[in-house]
Amino acid sequence: QVQLVESGGGLVQAGGSLRLSCAASGSIFGINTMAWYRQAPGNQRELVASITRGGNTDYAASVKHRFTVSRDSAKNTVDLQMNSLKPEDTAVYYCNAEIRIISSDNTILPPRPYWGQGTQVTVSP
């Protein structure tokens, strides 16, 4: 009933920039916090950045001052602008959103997390 679709990943040299985008679609009543996570091979999935419905942001220490998260609540989208990329930023990046949906009987369900399929970001030295 809900899909999160990411785009914008790819290969970039160290010091370069990429912009990731994520769009949520489906029977959405409302979206609370939206976030980006990443998972490198052999590592656990970690929070990169989050943004609340009110626009408050939070960043992992490793990306602060390099990455910027933003959202368009009217379009149900969240972006991640990544600057000054480092090889250690290489990972699969996942979009996450806490979403309240409208069920088939028009019931508004409690919020639950939804995930995108992931997009690969590779930063070469």
Side-chain angles (χ1 to χ4, degrees), residues 5-118:
V5 178
E6 300 115 333
S7 60
L11 173 64
V12 65
Q13 286 189 326
S17 298
L18 282 174
R19 188 177 184 88
L20 305 182
S21 295
C22 172
S25 62
S27 304
I28 296 172
F29 175 77
I31 302 179
N32 295 338
T33 298
M34 303 186 82
W36 289 94
Y37 287 73
R38 68 186 181 188
Q39 186 168 20
N43 291 357
Q44 289 188 333
R45 192 172 296 189
E46 63 173 353
L47 177 65
V48 175
S50 65
I51 182 166
T52 67
R53 191 165 50 184
N56 293 319
T57 58
D58 191 27
Y59 296 92
S62 59
V63 307
K64 198 170 287 187
H65 308 303
R66 298 189 297 122
F67 290 10
T68 302
V69 62
S70 60
R71 68 188 284 176
D72 185 331
S73 293
K75 297 180 179 179
N76 291 334
T77 60
V78 61
D79 291 346
L80 184 68
Q81 177 66 43
M82 304 185 294
N83 299 328
S84 303
L85 282 161
K86 304 176 181 180
E88 50 265 41
D89 294 319
T90 295
V92 178
Y93 284 69
Y94 296 91
C95 176
N96 168 275
E98 189 179 60
I99 301 176
R100 300 188 72 181
I101 68 168
I102 304 172
S103 68
S104 56
D105 63 357
N106 290 324
T107 301
I108 299 171
L109 301 181
R112 54 150 285 196
Y114 290 84
W115 293 90
Q117 81 285 356

